[in-house]
Amino acid sequence: MKAGAAHHQLVLVAGARSSSSGRAAALPPSRLLLAVLLVCLAGAERGEGQAAGESGRRAVDVGVILDRTTWLGNVSWACMELALEDFYADAARASYRTRLRLHLRDTGPSAVDAASAGVDLLKNVRVQAIVGPQTSTQAKFLAELGNKASVPIISFSANSPCSSSSQTPYFIRTAWNDFSQAKAIASLVQKFNWREVVPVIENDDSNTRFIPDLVDALGHVGTRVSHKCKIHSSAGDDEIKSAISSLKGNWTSVFVVRMSYQLALKFFRLAKDEGMMGQGFVWITAYGLTDIFDVVGSPALDVMNGVVGVEPYVEDTERLQDFKQRWQEKYKRENPGTQLNGPILSGLYAYDTVWALALAAEKAGYVNSDFMPSETNNGSTDFDKINTSKATKKLHDAFLKTSFYGMTGKFHIQDWKLVSTTYKIINVVGQDRKVVGFWTPGFNISRNLNNKADLYTIVWPGGSDKAPRGWLLPANKILKIGVPFKPGFSNFIQFENGNATGFCARVFEEIIDALPYEVPIHYEEFGDGKGESNGTYDSLIYKVYLNEFDAVVGDVTILANRSLYVDFTLPYTESGVRMLVPVRDKRQKTAWTFLKPLSADLWLGTGAFFVFTGFIVWFIEHRTNQEFRGPPASQIGSIFYFSFSTLVFAHREKIVNNLSRIAVVVWLFVVLILQQSYTASLSSILTVEQLQPTVTNLDEVIRRGDYVGYLNDSFLPGLLKRLKINESKMIPFNSPEEYNDALSTGRVAVIVDEIPYLKLFLSKYCHNYTMVGPTYKFDGFGYAFPRGSPLTTEISRGILELASNGRMAELEKEFLYVDTMCPDKDSQTSSSLTLHSFIGLFMITGASSLLALVLHVGITLYNNWTHFISACSQGPWRGPVVILFKIFHEHDDSSNTPDKDETGVANVDPTVESPWSRSNHIIENFDSDTETAGEGTPGREVSNQDPGPPSFAYMHSER
């Protein structure tokens, strides 16, 4: 419309001139000048409109705030200009309807000037985005402007001004991700097992997000950050030297450095002068500082030898090489005499940022400038009068969704920052920087990007390729060791003539001497110099927490409440708390002591088997063995006499049957074992004391209201109170002699103490006391060090070494348990023997006897089977029973040789005509004839010899 109006005015002016020819010269000069201006303006606007119509593109204004006095500002601006040229030079983007137009503001380093430039760009130029606040301080102001105007503020070098990105949703970082960089550094620390790290940072807003991310990442790998060293950007040499001295005074030798190039160069130069760039130190630089070598060159390399740096990984592509060449030509043309040979990583981020903005502008579409008046437009400052725009909101949303492959790799925004997942690890060696490995989420620290492998060799400060242990003894440091005052149990610890002796001190000194480095120590007693302690063990531990002592060496028990203030080593003594009580012999020798070796069931079982075995032998032997015959009373007596006489192997009866012999042999074996066991048990009962503790548990002590003793100046009163012991019933003691006196006189019923003390007591007073009751678990004795002290791990490792090589046991024997230790009193008890212990023997002898019985019955029936069957067929059932009774009861000596000297045979009446009398008569005549012949009756011959008594079957047939 403006072009049309101007053209109309121009037409009017021309018409006036033509209608009044000859009067043109009469026009005033001012009117003529105005007409010329209108014609020029119309022509310009018409030409511009024609160009816009021809191209079809609309300008999207973007503000750029840089400090052109710095190399970062110059490098970044050159990269931005090349990004625009490369983006719109592509034929594929020739049809784009938008075109980015950059408005540069060179503000210098001032944050106020940057904020003023931002207000100007938003208010007057009405830009839809602002790129480039270089520092975090500048970003703090501009982020607020972006939030107010809903205009994206995009930085490729500054950190987020807030701890949470959600607080500044219009501030977007298109640079490396601090969170992933912190994880890369933490993985490197974990790789070398460093337990403590000290960040050394510049005291400005650039570390607002980095330090919390670093502390969290280190915490996840078990590494602590005890403190931070902050140095102001304007600090002089003296102030920096003071900070370096504070670092030297600590144990930690692993430092993570993040600061500006100028401050870093000064810091490392002074650190080298102070000897902190030598062997044993570790310096890790975060990205932002690794570019110092491109900017400064040799001066930085000279003072940073051995430094390990972390920086984002950018793949070296042909596109990147071509861009570097073009950038170098452009930059050297605009900045003659520069030493830079290529764009640094921040410049590549600036290139990708402009490229992403151009893509987002096209995606969002062109919207005419529609800045709405601010709700506080009536404010008194320009900040209050800033307007808002819907078009910038669309550009903001489109930019967050933009994704492409740029110079730095995959460009993708997440959580208002660029996602960067791969970092390379560089090592400064001489005048060169070597890539020694990479960090990726998949492999963590690795030599290669695509597989897990160890890093290449790293040369650490001082020129060593051996990884430092992560801590150093502070220069001229002598450890001040606190020693508890312990008069009673001097075997553990004792302070004499300025030196500590005893088991605890000896173990500590042997570990210190075995370390590969020297650790000077100095003992100080925790006493008042008058034979008394300065306080409890808890008070001594608290002195370590206050840094008045560097460690405590002594019989200090590891407790949970103490570990809140100090770090303990592994325990070097046995752990636990038990009771010490007197013992008495529970066995009383009486007239019936001889019955105690065997239990009642074993007595009864043995007696039963005596009778059973005697019966079996009688049953087998009484048919053929005259010694087992006779009246019933005599036979019963024979059973018992024979069986019980085997107990002492005094049986005199002759055994003639093989089956009974088998039964007797097995039984004699059982009797032998029983006899030996009985003798051994009775000897133990009569000669060995069975000591029994007078008290077995604390409940009994509480119920009886007895007194309880404990070691003075210890944690035991708290334990006894938790065990429901009345405080009025607790008596403290100081020495083994006092323990013995109190227990022997009955002043206390029990002593409750830690096992090492009780064992030392029992080594001196062995026979009258014992440890009883449950073991209350505690961690034993340990050495106390300040929280985070690296010596804690070193001493713990030494304790394990002494325990594994047997040296710890030797020291215990030397200092603590000099005398022979008492055996456990419970092991001297002797219980009665039970039937269960001999059930197998009884089963063997029972089975043998029963088998002999069955075989005997079977053989006997087999020999008399014909007569038994005949008797069964001739009468009722009583007949077979009578026959069986006669078979197994009547005497059968057919298998025996008769005794010629039997005197009872001559008294038999010869007139009785019975089988038995006949037999006896024959024997009598035979004997008489023999005697007569012997006396001198010659010629008389015996024609018939006595065939022996007839069998039972013969007698039955005669009947």
Side-chain angles (χ1 to χ4, degrees):
M1 293 180 63
K2 290 181 179 179
H7 179 69
H8 180 66
Q9 292 179 0
L10 182 61
V11 171
L12 291 177
V13 170
R17 291 177 61 186
S18 61
S19 60
S20 54
S21 58
R23 291 188 298 167
L27 290 174
S30 59
R31 293 285 300 275
L32 183 61
L33 178 61
L34 177 61
V36 172
L37 290 175
L38 288 174
V39 171
C40 293
L41 178 62
E45 291 189 359
R46 183 168 60 253
E48 200 174 294
Q50 290 175 353
E54 292 173 0
S55 63
R57 291 177 177 174
R58 300 293 184 180
V60 178
D61 296 309
V62 174
V64 180
I65 297 177
L66 295 174
D67 180 7
R68 295 291 302 276
T69 63
T70 64
W71 60 267
L72 177 60
N74 281 331
V75 169
S76 302
W77 178 245
C79 290
M80 290 181 186
E81 289 182 318
L82 285 175
L84 280 181
E85 292 179 12
D86 294 347
F87 186 85
Y88 293 113
D90 194 313
R93 289 180 286 275
S95 60
Y96 277 15
R97 297 177 296 110
T98 59
R99 186 180 186 91
L100 225 61
R101 185 163 57 186
L102 303 179
H103 300 270
L104 176 63
R105 296 292 186 270
D106 185 1
T107 63
S110 172
V112 175
D113 291 343
S116 176
V119 172
D120 175 61
L121 289 170
L122 292 173
K123 185 178 178 182
N124 299 321
V125 183
R126 296 188 177 183
V127 294
Q128 298 185 26
I130 295 178
V131 178
Q134 290 179 210
T135 66
S136 298
T137 304
Q138 293 175 342
K140 179 183 292 187
F141 288 93
L142 291 174
E144 294 296 332
L145 291 176
N147 284 348
K148 182 172 182 60
S150 301
V151 173
I153 308 297
I154 305 169
S155 176
F156 51 84
S157 61
N159 288 326
S160 174
C162 298
S163 59
S164 175
S165 299
S166 60
Q167 298 176 8
T168 53
Y170 282 87
F171 181 84
I172 305 171
R173 290 193 73 240
T174 56
W176 62 93
N177 189 327
D178 275 342
F179 178 70
S180 59
Q181 181 180 208
K183 291 176 66 176
I185 294 174
S187 296
L188 184 63
V189 171
Q190 184 185 29
K191 167 72 176 178
F192 297 101
N193 199 31
W194 294 319
R195 292 288 134 219
E196 187 168 338
V197 170
V198 175
V200 183
I201 57 176
E202 188 169 354
N203 190 14
D204 60 8
D205 296 328
S206 62
N207 295 294
T208 303
R209 289 289 302 273
F210 175 70
I211 292 301
D213 289 341
L214 179 64
V215 172
D216 290 344
L218 291 172
H220 285 139
V221 298
T223 302
R224 60 190 294 263
V225 176
S226 59
H227 64 284
K228 297 178 284 291
C229 178
K230 295 183 178 181
I231 303 175
H232 198 272
S233 56
S234 61
D237 288 358
D238 293 338
E239 190 174 348
I240 296 175
K241 286 181 179 179
S242 177
I244 293 174
S245 297
S246 68
L247 295 176
K248 289 181 65 177
N250 291 307
W251 294 76
T252 306
S253 63
V254 181
F255 309 101
V256 175
V257 183
R258 176 163 168 161
M259 54 182 63
S260 62
Y261 310 114
Q262 298 84 355
L263 182 61
L265 184 62
K266 188 187 302 184
F267 174 84
F268 279 108
R269 177 174 56 81
L270 294 175
K272 184 177 181 181
D273 295 340
E274 294 295 325
M276 292 192 68
M277 298 302 296
Q279 193 166 350
F281 291 94
V282 178
W283 297 95
I284 303 173
T285 58
Y287 178 67
L289 186 54
T290 51
D291 288 336
I292 189 174
F293 308 110
D294 295 321
V295 178
V296 179
S298 294
L301 295 171
D302 291 338
V303 298
M304 296 177 66
N305 245 302
V307 170
V308 176
V310 176
E311 68 177 37
Y313 169 72
V314 175
E315 186 178 1
D316 192 11
T317 60
E318 293 183 4
R319 179 189 176 193
L320 179 60
Q321 290 295 334
D322 177 68
F323 169 75
K324 286 182 177 180
Q325 184 176 357
R326 292 188 294 109
W327 178 91
Q328 187 175 0
E329 295 173 356
K330 175 182 175 61
Y331 190 78
K332 287 186 176 181
R333 184 173 61 251
E334 297 176 355
N335 300 275
T338 182
Q339 297 180 354
L340 288 175
N341 295 321
I344 60 173
L345 190 57
S346 293
L348 300 181
Y349 283 128
Y351 182 97
D352 286 347
T353 300
V354 171
W355 192 286
L357 266 174
L359 288 174
E362 181 65 21
K363 184 177 181 180
Y366 177 77
V367 180
N368 289 331
S369 178
D370 60 347
F371 280 88
M372 305 296 294
S374 172
E375 295 179 359
T376 58
N377 200 36
N378 57 352
S380 59
T381 64
D382 289 338
F383 185 80
D384 293 329
K385 298 177 182 179
I386 293 177
N387 300 329
T388 60
S389 171
K390 293 181 179 180
T392 58
K393 293 181 181 180
K394 292 183 63 177
L395 180 63
H396 171 266
D397 295 340
F399 186 83
L400 292 179
K401 298 176 182 178
T402 300
S403 180
F404 65 97
Y405 280 93
M407 288 293 178
T408 59
K410 178 67 177 296
F411 187 95
H412 176 65
I413 301 297
Q414 182 178 342
D415 192 23
W416 296 281
K417 54 181 174 288
L418 184 66
V419 176
S420 52
T421 58
T422 304
Y423 287 82
K424 65 181 179 180
I425 302 169
I426 63 172
N427 180 210
V428 180
V429 182
Q431 295 295 310
D432 192 16
R433 291 176 297 165
K434 297 192 309 178
V435 177
V436 295
F438 301 89
W439 177 88
T440 58
F443 299 109
N444 284 336
I445 299 296
S446 177
R447 175 186 298 185
N448 304 315
L449 283 171
N450 301 319
N451 62 303
K452 185 71 174 177
D454 288 337
L455 294 174
Y456 290 101
T457 301
I458 297 176
V459 179
W460 304 97
S464 173
D465 59 357
K466 182 180 179 181
R469 62 174 179 265
W471 64 274
L472 291 172
L473 190 68
N476 302 321
K477 177 72 172 178
I478 298 178
L479 295 186
K480 185 178 179 182
I481 308 296
V483 178
F485 180 77
K486 200 74 172 179
F489 289 86
S490 58
N491 299 66
F492 286 102
I493 192 70
Q494 188 175 12
F495 187 80
E496 293 179 340
N497 302 323
N499 194 26
T501 60
F503 173 73
C504 302
R506 182 64 175 275
V507 171
F508 181 75
E509 290 172 0
E510 291 213 4
I511 295 173
I512 290 293
D513 293 341
L515 293 176
Y517 45 88
E518 184 179 359
V519 180
I521 59 176
H522 171 68
Y523 293 108
E524 287 191 13
E525 186 181 31
F526 189 60
D528 58 3
K530 300 178 182 179
E532 297 293 337
S533 176
N534 268 347
T536 64
Y537 276 41
D538 290 340
S539 302
L540 176 58
I541 293 298
Y542 195 68
K543 294 292 185 181
V544 177
Y545 176 74
L546 297 176
N547 293 322
E548 296 183 20
F549 288 120
D550 295 310
V552 170
V553 172
D555 49 344
V556 179
T557 305
I558 302 172
L559 299 176
N561 62 325
R562 293 174 179 174
S563 65
L564 298 175
Y565 301 94
V566 297
D567 284 343
F568 283 101
T569 64
L570 292 175
Y572 57 92
T573 63
E574 188 176 357
S575 61
V577 173
R578 293 190 72 185
M579 294 190 302
L580 178 71
V581 299
V583 293
R584 65 170 182 266
D585 188 3
K586 74 174 185 178
R587 282 181 173 158
Q588 298 180 358
K589 311 308 188 287
T590 65
W592 303 102
T593 301
F594 73 91
L595 295 176
K596 292 183 179 179
L598 306 183
S599 61
D601 57 350
L602 183 55
W603 277 116
L604 294 175
T606 303
F609 270 89
F610 271 118
V611 175
F612 173 73
T613 304
F615 171 78
I616 295 297
V617 173
W618 169 84
F619 189 86
I620 296 174
E621 289 289 329
H622 84 285
R623 294 188 65 250
T624 58
N625 193 339
Q626 187 63 32
E627 295 185 4
F628 288 90
R629 298 194 63 81
S634 176
Q635 295 186 47
I636 293 174
S638 297
I639 292 174
F640 282 94
Y641 174 76
F642 174 81
S643 60
F644 284 99
S645 64
T646 58
L647 182 63
V648 291
F649 304 98
H651 51 285
R652 299 302 180 191
E653 292 82 358
K654 183 179 180 182
I655 305 299
V656 298
N657 194 299
N658 288 332
L659 294 176
S660 59
R661 286 172 180 168
I662 293 174
V664 170
V665 168
V666 176
W667 170 246
L668 288 177
F669 174 72
V670 174
V671 168
L672 177 63
I673 295 177
L674 279 171
Q675 183 190 56
Q676 296 298 326
S677 301
Y678 174 84
T679 303
S681 181
L682 182 61
S683 299
S684 175
I685 292 173
L686 295 177
T687 59
V688 179
E689 292 181 330
Q690 184 174 348
L691 300 177
Q692 182 184 30
T694 56
V695 178
T696 57
N697 56 72
L698 280 177
D699 292 335
E700 184 179 352
V701 176
I702 298 173
R703 186 173 59 254
R704 296 191 322 208
D706 293 334
Y707 287 88
V708 177
Y710 66 92
L711 182 61
N712 192 21
D713 195 21
S714 67
F715 68 94
L716 291 169
L719 172 64
L720 294 176
K721 289 178 182 178
R722 292 197 300 271
L723 296 175
K724 311 301 181 183
I725 302 295
N726 194 308
E727 189 172 0
S728 62
K729 296 294 183 180
M730 295 186 291
I731 303 176
F733 299 103
N734 293 302
S735 66
E737 292 74 19
E738 292 184 12
Y739 282 5
N740 177 55
D741 181 67
L743 289 171
S744 60
T745 59
R747 185 180 176 191
V748 296
V750 298
I751 296 288
V752 178
D753 206 348
E754 294 179 82
I755 291 177
Y757 295 118
L758 298 184
K759 284 191 172 182
L760 179 60
F761 173 85
L762 289 175
S763 68
K764 298 180 179 180
Y765 303 95
C766 178
H767 300 289
N768 299 325
Y769 306 98
T770 187
M771 287 189 292
V772 297
T775 299
Y776 301 98
K777 291 297 183 181
F778 289 92
D779 285 338
F781 297 163
Y783 302 113
F785 289 91
R787 296 291 300 272
S789 173
L791 275 178
T792 306
T793 304
E794 297 288 327
I795 301 300
S796 296
R797 190 177 293 111
I799 290 172
L800 293 176
E801 181 65 25
L802 287 184
S804 61
N805 62 22
R807 180 58 180 162
M808 188 74 75
E810 295 176 2
L811 294 176
E812 288 180 352
K813 185 176 180 181
E814 178 182 351
F815 285 93
L816 302 181
Y817 316 132
V818 180
D819 301 332
T820 302
M821 289 296 296
C822 288
D824 193 350
K825 301 300 186 299
D826 294 338
S827 65
Q828 299 180 8
T829 60
S830 178
S831 302
S832 299
L833 302 174
T834 63
L835 178 62
H836 180 74
S837 303
F838 296 89
I839 193 67
L841 289 174
F842 287 139
M843 290 175 64
I844 292 174
T845 186
S848 302
S849 299
L850 287 175
L851 180 60
L853 178 63
V854 170
L855 291 176
H856 172 70
V857 172
I859 293 172
T860 303
L861 289 178
Y862 177 78
N863 292 335
N864 298 277
W865 184 253
T866 303
H867 305 290
F868 178 71
I869 294 300
S870 176
C872 291
S873 62
Q874 294 178 6
W877 64 271
R878 289 184 180 180
V881 174
V882 173
I883 293 301
L884 286 175
F885 178 78
K886 289 182 178 182
I887 289 174
F888 289 101
H889 178 67
E890 296 296 341
H891 180 64
D892 180 10
D893 57 355
S894 58
S895 62
N896 297 334
T897 303
D899 191 355
K900 297 180 180 181
D901 296 329
E902 290 183 0
T903 57
V905 177
N907 297 326
V908 179
D909 186 359
T911 61
V912 180
E913 294 295 334
S914 68
W916 284 105
S917 62
R918 183 189 307 172
S919 176
N920 292 336
H921 178 67
I922 294 172
I923 293 172
E924 180 181 349
N925 292 339
F926 175 78
D927 290 341
S928 301
D929 293 342
T930 303
E931 289 179 3
T932 304
E935 289 178 356
T937 308
R940 186 172 182 178
E941 298 180 358
V942 181
S943 59
N944 282 321
Q945 294 183 352
D946 184 14
S951 65
F952 183 81
Y954 175 80
M955 291 188 292
H956 182 71
S957 63
E958 287 292 320
R959 190 179 298 176

